[in-house]
Amino acid sequence: MVDEALSAGAVARRLGVAVTTLRTWHQRYGLGPSEHIPGHHRRYTPSDLARLEIMRRLTAEGVSPAEAARWARQAPDPTPNGTGVVAPTRIHPTGRDGGGSIPVGRAGPAARGLARAAMRLDAAAISETIAHALATSGVVATWEGLLRPVLAGIGERHAATAGLIEVEHLVSRCVSEALAAASRAKVPTGPARILLSCADEEQHTLPLEALAAALAEAGVSYRMLGARVPVAALVEAVNRTGPAAVVLWSHTRATADPAQLSALLAAPRRPLLVLAAGPGWRADTLPAGVVRPVDLAEAVSLSAAVRDSLDQSRRD
Ligand code: B12
């Protein structure tokens, strides 16, 4: 049993609720951890988790917490050695989570928890899950294993139903805030040799924000121009700051005009490296000399390498 028992943080992430919510459910409704090993914090057993899962589902469906807790406490132990689940499967035809779920493919329990928190518009749980992942796994792993699957799942559901716009906006905001906090926590020293920018009219900034946080984590200084940068402004920024590399993000075909890349290559202070990042760009229309990274990790390593080579050539 000891091996299977979980901490409050792990249970919160699996359920997609904030740790403070778990504490409230414990204090007010007695749905707490039952395993106690002397000298350790109390741990949640699989039976505790199953009861909390009932609590989470029913409250998401609009049942009052007191009523949901009554059902959860009464439910027979649903784990393999128990006697089976009996809580009502659905109280209302569509729950307060908007019904349905966000597909996350093979992503792990944290992504499923984040997807559930997103459906409930539970900003505290969304932020807590992301912050925990960033602190424990780093930016690249959090992007690939947690944020990307949930963002892609939201896009998939939106494409199929035209819904979930409120979820998309709330999650985007929480992701931005968490990545900004991670970037602020590790501000690199030294001149900013990497310029990050979205293409003209491009509003999808999250992948670039992930790159900024990953660069900060790797100790690489950058300058971020953000969303919707007109090409003249981009070239002006290049001429004024002389970056070693420019990463230009385009998420959709509509913003992927290769003339923006050509303008960078023709700039008086032409950068050593121009990266065309994002699914908007078409490989067969990129000007010669432009590099297209396949993912976040490659964008980080190319940026770090070009920064190092510039620093080296300035020393020689
Ligand atoms: C969040 C979101 C928004 C937010 C963006 C908030 C923000 N600050 O970024 C808001 C609400 C603003 C928004 C607006 C719009 N959106 Co939007 N959005 C999304 C969503 C859900 C996630 C975007 C994201 O961050 N993806 C990150 C990952 C999941 O994308 P990926 O494709 O897997 O990217 C990989 C590669 O690019 C590769 N890679 C290669 N090189 C590099 C380099 C780096 C540094 C990184 C990190 C990765 C990388 O790795 C990536 C993953 O790591 C997507 C769904 C989706 N699948 O992307 C829709 C999506 C992109 N949006 C879409 C649309 C249509 C729009 C709007 C036009 C809606 C509207 N009618 O207003 C506007 C566009 C505005 C504009 N002109 O830019 C469509 C685009 C369809 C298309 N192919 O043209 C999508 C696909 C949703 C859908 N299925 O319909 N959106």
Side-chain angles (χ1 to χ4, degrees), residues 80 87 91 107 136 150 192 244 315:
I91 300 270
T136 54
V150 173
R315 275 197 296 273

Side-chain angles (χ1 to χ4, degrees), residues 1-298:
M1 183 60 72
V2 175
D3 288 339
E4 291 177 54
L6 295 167
S7 67
V11 170
R13 284 189 295 285
R14 284 199 184 198
L15 296 175
V17 302
V19 172
T20 46
T21 305
L22 272 192
R23 248 180 247 134
T24 308
W25 288 352
H26 183 192
Q27 285 158 6
R28 292 208 188 136
Y29 310 115
L31 292 170
S34 55
E35 176 148 316
H36 188 223
I37 306 160
H40 290 82
H41 283 298
R42 282 177 178 271
R43 313 281 283 183
Y44 288 82
T45 64
S47 306
D48 299 332
L49 184 63
R51 272 189 282 274
L52 287 165
E53 172 62 31
I54 293 169
M55 180 73 178
R56 182 199 64 75
R57 179 164 52 78
L58 294 180
T59 50
E61 288 176 352
V63 179
S64 74
E67 176 74 358
R70 201 170 56 76
W71 276 103
R73 278 195 306 269
Q74 280 172 5
D77 185 353
T79 54
N81 297 329
T83 52
V85 181
V86 290
T89 49
R90 226 174 223 295
I91 300 270
H92 303 298
T94 55
R96 281 215 185 139
D97 63 359
S101 59
I102 297 167
V104 295
R106 293 175 174 210
R112 288 196 294 279
L114 181 59
R116 286 192 203 111
M119 288 304 280
R120 293 197 318 278
L121 298 175
D122 184 343
I126 296 170
S127 299
E128 197 172 291
T129 303
I130 301 171
H132 181 269
L134 286 169
T136 54
S137 311
V139 177
V140 175
T142 299
W143 177 256
E144 294 296 346
L146 181 70
L147 301 177
R148 183 187 175 177
V150 173
L151 289 167
I154 291 171
E156 217 177 288
R157 270 293 302 279
H158 172 70
T161 64
L164 253 56
I165 293 175
E166 69 291 357
V167 172
E168 182 183 32
H169 280 244
L170 184 71
V171 170
S172 295
R173 187 150 175 75
C174 294
V175 172
S176 278
E177 281 172 358
L179 290 171
S183 307
R184 277 196 304 274
K186 292 190 181 148
V187 179
T189 53
R193 305 224 190 275
I194 315 297
L195 184 66
L196 309 181
S197 174
C198 280
D200 198 2
E201 290 306 329
E202 180 57 67
Q203 291 177 34
H204 296 96
T205 55
L206 298 179
L208 220 46
E209 291 168 44
L211 177 56
L215 289 174
E217 195 176 67
V220 180
S221 296
Y222 60 86
R223 201 175 255 108
M224 163 71 103
L225 299 182
R228 305 177 68 196
V229 182
V231 66
L234 178 61
V235 171
E236 179 67 19
V238 167
N239 289 337
R240 287 177 57 192
T241 64
V246 177
V247 183
L248 191 60
W249 184 267
S250 163
H251 210 100
T252 63
R253 287 282 142 87
T255 65
D257 181 355
Q260 301 170 93
L261 301 164
S262 306
L264 288 172
L265 297 174
R269 295 183 75 181
R270 175 185 168 148
L272 290 176
L273 182 66
V274 174
L275 291 176
W281 301 110
R282 270 180 43 189
D284 57 346
T285 62
L286 298 184
V290 169
V291 175
R292 199 172 173 201
V294 289
D295 57 17
L296 174 59
E298 195 181 27

